[in-house]
Structures are given as C-alpha cells and as structure tokens.
Amino acid sequence: MERFFLYDDTVDTKTRFVSFVGKNERFDLAIVQTDRFYGKVLVLDLQSNRYAIIGSDDLQESGYIEHVYNLNEEDANELRSFLHEIVG
C-alpha cells in the first residue's frame, strides 16, 4: 500500500527542558518553540505524557490547562503562572 503524506517537513526548533516543584506537584516540561505554531509553543508534560500547543489566548481560557494536563485548579494555576512567563 502506498503511503499518502499530508505533510512531511523538517523544521528548526528551540527546545527548553525545565523542571520545577509547585506546592503539590512536580512539573517536568519540554517547551518547543518553532515558527510552525503561529507564535504558540508546544508544551509537553513529561510526567503525564500530555501535551498542548499553547498561546496566551489559551492561558486565558477558563479550565483549559486543568483539562489538557488533567490538573486540579491549584496545580493548574501554578503551571499557568509559569507558562505566562514563557508565552507572554
């Protein structure tokens, strides 16, 4: 069977690995910046194997971080606070 690619691109990225401890949760993240996501960053949570493409608009959306990373409100607020520093 012939494979049909929708796209097959190689792009340069800047990846930051960061680990920090919040009040209840440890966060081990890989943050990938590229021109592919229209100014947003790919944030991978290495502990939970969850990821999302996040921009400042996503950080403002109520319950988004809680849902994507399966966090309670307190832990999500700690992650959101850190991501505000990254995303702007």
Side-chain angles (χ1 to χ4, degrees):
M1 174 181 247
E2 188 175 326
R3 184 168 293 139
F4 177 76
F5 290 98
L6 296 176
Y7 57 83
D8 182 6
D9 300 330
T10 302
V11 298
D12 291 325
T13 66
K14 178 179 176 185
T15 305
R16 176 180 175 188
F17 293 94
V18 63
S19 179
F20 67 94
V21 178
K23 183 176 179 184
N24 303 312
E25 186 83 20
R26 174 181 167 165
F27 296 96
D28 293 301
L29 307 172
I31 300 156
V32 181
Q33 294 176 312
T34 178
D35 59 0
R36 188 165 187 93
F37 304 125
Y38 306 101
K40 295 187 176 193
V41 295
L42 175 61
V43 180
L44 300 96
D45 181 343
L46 302 172
Q47 291 288 327
S48 70
N49 295 320
R50 293 175 174 265
Y51 62 91
I53 298 170
I54 297 179
S56 57
D57 58 330
D58 301 305
L59 296 176
Q60 302 302 322
E61 187 176 329
S62 178
Y64 182 72
I65 298 298
E66 289 85 343
H67 172 73
V68 169
Y69 295 104
N70 194 30
L71 297 170
N72 64 43
E73 184 178 358
E74 183 179 30
D75 295 336
N77 284 335
E78 289 178 331
L79 179 56
R80 187 178 290 108
S81 176
F82 171 75
L83 292 175
H84 271 294
E85 298 171 20
I86 303 300
V87 175

